[in-house]
């Protein structure tokens, strides 16, 4: 079949021009700056203008960079499909068989009759500019077909000369790293069985030196919570590629006749205005989802750093009473409530209330919490099992492991095989019973170890585990649609758009150290808007780093997320409680702005400080945070430029911090600070800036901005 289709997906910020003419697989000729509304003849002219000559010592016809790169078509780089039938049909060559064009979406059907394969490629461009893509391969042959890999690939132009992605570790997630986009392949493989603290997260390609507010940028994110891969590749012909998909272990996907494998969605965004433009596309798409949290995000107190495993009814009731008096709206009982769970060495899998600690069950505490006007939440870790548990002793075969050995323990635990039908049924029954018997409004769903040597039914089982966990979450959401679920995985180890199809927020990191959190939240927020980022005020001395911070710095950091507390507030001073109550009231006042506005981050010239904020959609108000992270090499701070405001409007700016403004280290502060506020235009605030007080390291101030 021969097609004469040119597909132009477009918004005000991006165009995706797809050449589906001819019998070969479609190719994206342009993904980038918006082209406007063009008639088909002009679109054809654009494609003609992009036609490539034949280089020397190459195939006699130009080699296309198709939606699915094919070695059989002459593509010398990473193949889009890797698979075989015991060595045969390893290099398919698809022919376009049909095109379905919808509302800013397109579906391409292709076939290789000889290899007995069908391919479907889906592309959708959301109104905010986010592009998502996926492939489906179907086996039409009577002989099984093994899929070793199926990945999405997108072209990026030569001016994208720099790459940025992420690495990290537990309590220091999503640490950015940059390097030139040279020749060859930059490949990131995640084999942890979960998204990973060190995941690439979002892969950016951009014009050299691109920042938050400047430079052309192209970005890609794999929406999958298991093993995955992403890559950036540039060949000798100069063409660049961003790609990714699920990383399949040997034998995980073997298709019988009529069976198919569908990749996870891969999400991509283009911006003419740097990283913040990419964030705007991701945030717009997330906020448009039907299940995105619509109501106010309740102030949450989690009990972990207050009591750890030391559960005592009277102590927890007192903690709840103190929380309610401060204005907390959700009280979450963390690890330690179920059978045998007095420490982290036993009990995982025994999802029954521990009668020795709670002889009357959890209902009296829940009723007390709800009577104080708060919602009740509960910690669970369904995907894990302790060898010292009744469940393990009864069902060793439910462990995600080879039958003849256990993987190395981590946090004294193994992984429960959720893909095992009986294990799945057990978890569903236990969790459903808990949510049915008690008015629980929130689950903190944890996942505290990597998947190692993960075997299911005699073969690699990470794919099956990930699919089963999604199915378990979906079934619980169907039965209990009012329950909110947090994705926690040793903190920020499972943060991706796959898990967020089934959950309502992430626990951004197990670190409540405000200094670490400034960076962690800054970069996690590239993908997720503030209302999805769990951000709590911890104790004065962080239990993960040993650092101490004043309350004002901790509050200013936690405000720019889904705000809460994780602290034994019964041991606080009267002054601390007053400051916390004021901070909670302040959060309630500004959360409507923070959880609906546009996130902006300044390209501040001093690496010792951050400036970031949220600007209302109508540009009427904004809230910024200036955080001095460490000692600067300059004696006076550089004026801060406030991005995102309407240039012609006049704004009143004042310094605030509900927990108290920090005392500066300098002998004199700017006059406008002493006077209380200042009125300037958005253009002046963005281009000239505003002088701030001198701050010591690990201090922060808020800048409240309102149209005057």
């Amino acid at each position: 079949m021969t097609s004469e289709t040119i597909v132009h997906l477009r918004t005000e910020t991006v165009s995706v021009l797809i050449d589906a003419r001819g019998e070969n697989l479609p190719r994206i000729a342009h993904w980038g700056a918006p082209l406007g509304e063009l008639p088909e003849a002009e679109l054809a002219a654009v494609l003609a203008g992009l036609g490539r000559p034949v280089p020397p010592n190459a195939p006699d016809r130009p080699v296309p960079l198709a939606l699915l790169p094919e070695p059989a078509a002459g593509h010398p780089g990473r193949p889009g499909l890797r698979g075989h039938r015991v060595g045969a049909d390893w290099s398919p060559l698809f022919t376009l068989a049909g095109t379905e064009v919808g509302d800013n979406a397109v579906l391409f059907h292709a076939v290789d009759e000889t290899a007995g394969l069908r391919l479907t490629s889906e592309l959708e461009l959301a109104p905010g500019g986010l592009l998502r893509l996926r492939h489906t391969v179907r086996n039409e042959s009577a002989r099984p077909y093994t899929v070793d890999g199926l990945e999405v690939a997108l072209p990026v132009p030569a001016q994208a000369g720099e790459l940025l992605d992420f690495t990290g570790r537990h309590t220091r997630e999503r640490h950015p790293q940059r390097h030139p986009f040279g020749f060859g392949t930059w490949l990131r493989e995640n084999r942890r069985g979960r998204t990973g603290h060190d995941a690439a997260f979002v892969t950016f390609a951009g014009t050299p030196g691109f920042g938050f507010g400047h430079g052309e940028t192209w970005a890609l994110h794999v929406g999958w919570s298991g093993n995955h891969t992403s890559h950036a590749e540039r060949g000798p012909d100069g063409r660049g590629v961003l790609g990714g998909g699920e990383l399949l272990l040997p034998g995980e996907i073997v298709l019988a006749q009529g069976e198919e494998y569908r990749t996870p969605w891969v999400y991509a965004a283009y911006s003419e205005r740097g990283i913040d433009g990419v964030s705007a596309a991701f945030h717009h798409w997330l906020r448009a989802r039907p299940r995105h949290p619509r109501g106010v995000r309740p102030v949450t107190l989690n009990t972990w750093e207050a009591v750890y495993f030391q559960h005592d009814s009277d102590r927890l009731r007192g903690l709840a009473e103190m929380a309610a008096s401060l204005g907390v709206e959700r009280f979450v009982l963390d690890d330690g409530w179920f059978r045998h769970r007095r420490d982290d060495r036993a009990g995982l899998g025994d999802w029954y209330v521990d009668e020795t600690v709670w002889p009357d069950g959890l209902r009296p505490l829940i009723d007390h919490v709800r009577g104080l006007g708060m919602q009740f939440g509960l910690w669970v870790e369904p995907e894990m099992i302790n060898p010292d548990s009744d469940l393990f002793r009864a069902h060793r075969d439910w462990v995600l492991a080879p039958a003849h050995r256990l993987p190395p323990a981590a946090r004294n635990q193994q992984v429960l095989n959720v893909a095992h039908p009986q294990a799945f049924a057990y978890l569903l029954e236990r969790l459903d019973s808990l949510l049915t018997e008690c008015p629980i409004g929130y689950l903190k769903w944890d996942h505290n170890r990597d998947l190692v040597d993960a075997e299911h039914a005699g073969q690699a089982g990470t794919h099956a585990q990930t699919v089963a966990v999604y199915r378990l979450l979906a079934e619980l959401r169907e039965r209990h649609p009012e329950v909110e679920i947090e994705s926690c995985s040793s903190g920020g180890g499972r943060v991706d758009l796959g898990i967020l199809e089934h959950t309502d927020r992430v626990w951004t990191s197990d670190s409540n150290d405000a200094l670490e959190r400034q960076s962690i939240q800054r970069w996690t927020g590239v993908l997720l808007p503030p209302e999805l980022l769990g951000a709590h005020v911890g104790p004065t001395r962080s239990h993960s780093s040993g650092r101490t911070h004043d309350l004002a710095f901790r509050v200013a950091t936690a405000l720019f997320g889904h705000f809460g507390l994780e602290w034994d507030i019964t041991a606080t001073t009267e002054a601390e409680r007053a400051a916390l109550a004021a901070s909670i009231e302040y959060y309630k006042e500004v959360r409507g702005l923070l959880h609906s506005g546009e996130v902006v981050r300044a390209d501040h010239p001093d690496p010792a400080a951050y400036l970031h904020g949220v600007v209302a959609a109508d540009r009427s108000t904004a809230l910024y945070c200036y955080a001095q992270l460490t000692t600067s090499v300059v004696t006076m701070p550089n004026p801060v430029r406030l991005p995102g405001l309407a240039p012609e409007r006049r704004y009143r700016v004042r310094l605030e911090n509900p927990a108290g403004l920090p005392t500066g280290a300098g002998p004199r502060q700017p006059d406008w600070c002493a006077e209380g506020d200042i009125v300037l235009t958005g253009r002046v605030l963005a281009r000239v800036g505003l002088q701030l007080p001198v701050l010591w390291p690990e201090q922060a101030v808020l800048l409240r901005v309102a149209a005057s």
Side-chain angles (χ1 to χ4, degrees):
M1 175 182 176
T2 300
S3 170
E4 295 300 327
T5 304
I6 301 173
V7 180
H8 185 199
L9 310 178
R10 64 186 184 90
T11 69
E12 293 182 356
T13 59
V14 64
S15 277
V16 182
L17 185 59
I18 308 168
D19 186 356
R21 300 173 299 177
E23 63 180 17
N24 296 324
L25 286 181
R27 66 183 184 90
I28 294 179
H30 171 78
W31 167 44
L35 303 178
E37 186 174 358
L38 296 177
E40 188 165 345
E42 287 193 41
L43 292 176
V46 173
L47 294 177
L50 292 172
R52 298 176 67 86
V54 175
N57 196 32
D60 292 339
R61 298 176 60 184
V63 176
L65 179 59
L67 282 172
L68 186 83
E70 297 174 296
H75 179 69
R78 187 174 177 86
L81 173 61
R82 300 180 298 282
H84 61 96
R85 303 182 198 278
V86 195
D89 298 328
W90 61 275
S91 183
L93 185 64
F94 288 97
T95 299
L96 186 62
T99 301
E100 301 176 47
V101 180
D103 184 14
N104 245 11
V106 62
L107 204 64
F108 295 109
H109 303 281
V111 62
D112 182 337
E113 298 285 2
T114 302
L117 297 173
R118 287 192 174 272
L119 177 74
T120 301
S121 301
E122 301 173 68
L123 295 88
E124 300 175 357
L125 184 63
L130 188 68
L131 176 68
R132 64 177 191 163
L133 313 87
R134 66 182 178 184
H135 296 305
T136 303
V137 64
R138 178 184 175 89
N139 180 23
E140 300 286 3
S141 170
R143 293 181 298 152
Y145 182 81
T146 299
V147 181
D148 293 324
L150 182 60
E151 297 169 7
V152 162
L154 284 163
V156 291
Q159 57 262 39
E162 188 175 49
L163 295 174
L164 183 152
D165 64 3
F166 298 85
T167 183
R169 62 171 177 82
H170 180 231
T171 69
R172 202 174 193 271
E173 295 87 344
R174 287 165 291 285
H175 181 72
Q177 54 184 9
R178 286 180 181 258
H179 58 88
F181 191 171
F183 293 97
T185 303
W186 174 253
L187 176 64
R188 298 292 305 279
E189 291 188 336
N190 176 76
R191 299 175 181 270
R192 296 186 178 277
R194 54 177 171 171
T195 320
H197 296 86
D198 58 342
F201 190 52
V202 180
T203 302
F204 287 90
T207 50
F210 69 92
F212 288 110
H214 67 277
E216 278 191 285
T217 54
W218 294 259
L220 179 139
H221 169 79
V222 179
W224 184 247
S225 309
N227 294 338
H228 61 279
T229 181
S230 59
H231 67 274
E233 185 173 67
R234 192 181 302 282
D237 62 0
R239 289 188 294 192
V241 175
L242 291 180
E246 182 181 8
L247 190 158
L248 293 171
L249 297 177
E252 280 195 300
I253 302 295
V254 180
L255 303 177
Q257 187 173 23
E259 292 183 338
E260 58 187 35
Y261 166 70
R262 176 171 292 161
T263 71
W265 284 110
V266 174
Y267 299 81
Y270 163 79
S271 168
E272 288 184 295
R273 57 184 183 91
I275 296 170
D276 279 357
V278 168
S279 288
F282 278 112
H283 295 181
H284 187 280
W285 183 84
L286 283 161
R287 286 170 169 169
R289 298 173 303 157
R291 280 203 62 98
H292 190 76
R294 294 282 182 263
V296 297
R297 309 297 279 144
V299 179
T300 299
L301 181 137
N302 192 74
T303 65
W304 177 244
E305 292 190 37
V307 301
Y308 296 100
F309 290 107
Q310 307 307 310
H311 284 205
D312 175 85
S313 178
D314 290 340
R315 184 179 180 187
L316 287 163
R317 288 166 66 94
L319 185 64
E321 290 163 5
M322 179 68 72
S325 73
L326 297 178
V328 170
E329 298 162 307
R330 174 187 285 157
F331 183 89
V332 181
L333 183 65
D334 209 285
D335 194 358
W337 57 270
F338 48 97
R339 285 180 183 166
H340 318 304
R341 191 66 167 176
R342 305 282 60 80
D343 52 40
D344 68 357
R345 293 187 291 274
L348 280 177
D350 299 340
W351 299 112
Y352 297 86
V353 178
D354 193 322
E355 301 90 340
T356 65
V357 179
W358 303 97
D360 298 317
L362 291 178
R363 192 59 189 255
L365 177 64
I366 295 174
D367 289 344
H368 186 67
V369 167
R370 287 167 57 83
L372 293 168
M374 296 184 293
Q375 186 187 94
F376 184 83
L378 194 65
W379 180 95
V380 293
E381 193 175 4
E383 300 156 72
M384 300 297 154
I385 185 170
N386 284 126
D388 186 3
S389 67
D390 294 341
L391 187 69
F392 183 93
R393 286 182 281 271
H395 298 288
R396 161 64 178 81
D397 57 317
W398 289 7
V399 178
L400 188 64
H404 63 286
R405 65 174 181 244
L406 285 177
R411 208 188 180 209
N412 306 299
Q413 64 195 47
Q414 297 291 340
V415 181
L416 189 68
N417 186 357
V418 184
H420 190 294
Q422 291 174 286
F424 183 96
Y426 167 76
L427 289 177
L428 180 59
E429 185 278 327
R430 282 289 76 225
L431 294 169
D432 180 48
S433 294
L434 282 167
L435 295 174
T436 300
E437 294 164 5
C438 296
I440 297 169
Y442 176 89
L443 287 179
K444 178 179 179 179
W445 188 295
D446 214 338
H447 179 280
N448 271 311
R449 64 157 295 165
D450 293 343
L451 275 57
V452 177
D453 209 16
E455 185 171 302
H456 163 70
Q459 63 186 46
T462 301
H463 172 84
Q465 178 81 353
T466 307
V467 171
V469 170
Y470 285 170
R471 185 162 57 93
L472 178 60
L473 285 163
E475 181 63 31
L476 285 170
R477 298 297 293 265
E478 180 70 23
R479 298 186 185 191
H480 304 278
E482 75 287 351
V483 175
E484 183 170 316
I485 302 175
E486 175 187 76
S487 171
C488 176
S489 186
S490 312
R494 188 155 64 178
V495 177
D496 64 83
L497 296 189
I499 199 68
L500 276 163
E501 290 185 20
H502 306 281
T503 56
D504 302 282
R505 81 170 204 171
V506 301
W507 183 227
T508 319
S509 176
D510 273 347
S511 174
N512 276 325
D513 179 321
L515 181 62
E516 296 289 351
R517 275 285 185 142
Q518 281 286 334
S519 175
I520 292 168
Q521 292 174 195
R522 181 182 187 82
W523 292 105
T524 309
V526 166
L527 183 70
L528 306 184
E531 63 269 26
L532 299 183
L533 304 178
H536 294 179
V537 177
T540 304
R541 185 177 186 272
S542 168
H543 83 153
S544 61
S545 69
R547 290 194 188 101
T548 60
H549 294 122
D550 64 34
L551 183 57
F553 187 62
R554 284 139 58 207
V555 166
T557 301
L559 275 172
F560 288 84
H562 181 184
F563 184 84
L565 309 176
E566 194 141 351
W567 183 11
D568 184 5
I569 53 175
T570 63
T572 55
T573 67
E574 185 176 346
E576 286 174 324
R577 290 192 293 275
L580 275 176
S583 299
I584 289 170
E585 187 61 33
Y586 189 85
Y587 165 75
K588 292 176 180 178
E589 181 184 342
V590 300
R591 62 184 165 188
L593 163 66
L594 294 175
H595 299 160
S596 66
E598 181 179 347
V599 174
V600 293
R601 288 156 288 228
D603 292 301
H604 192 57
D606 187 352
Y610 282 168
L611 175 73
H612 62 92
V614 178
V615 182
D618 64 1
R619 302 296 187 260
S620 61
T621 61
L623 184 67
Y624 298 89
C625 175
Y626 177 83
Q628 188 70 41
L629 306 178
T630 186
T631 305
S632 176
V633 297
V634 296
T635 58
M636 294 294 292
N638 297 286
V640 296
R641 297 180 176 184
L642 306 184
L645 301 172
E648 304 304 326
R649 296 182 79 168
R650 297 176 66 80
Y651 293 94
R652 185 175 301 277
V653 184
R654 68 176 184 267
L655 291 186
E656 295 183 338
N657 194 313
L661 286 170
T663 302
R668 188 170 182 273
Q669 305 305 322
D671 291 341
W672 77 269
C673 297
E675 294 168 3
D677 57 24
I678 192 171
V679 177
L680 294 168
T681 66
R683 176 174 284 105
V684 169
L685 288 168
R687 296 185 178 180
V688 178
L690 192 61
Q691 185 67 57
L692 294 186
V694 176
L695 300 181
W696 278 309
E698 300 168 29
Q699 290 187 328
V701 292
L702 305 175
L703 289 86
R704 189 78 170 271
V705 178
S708 176

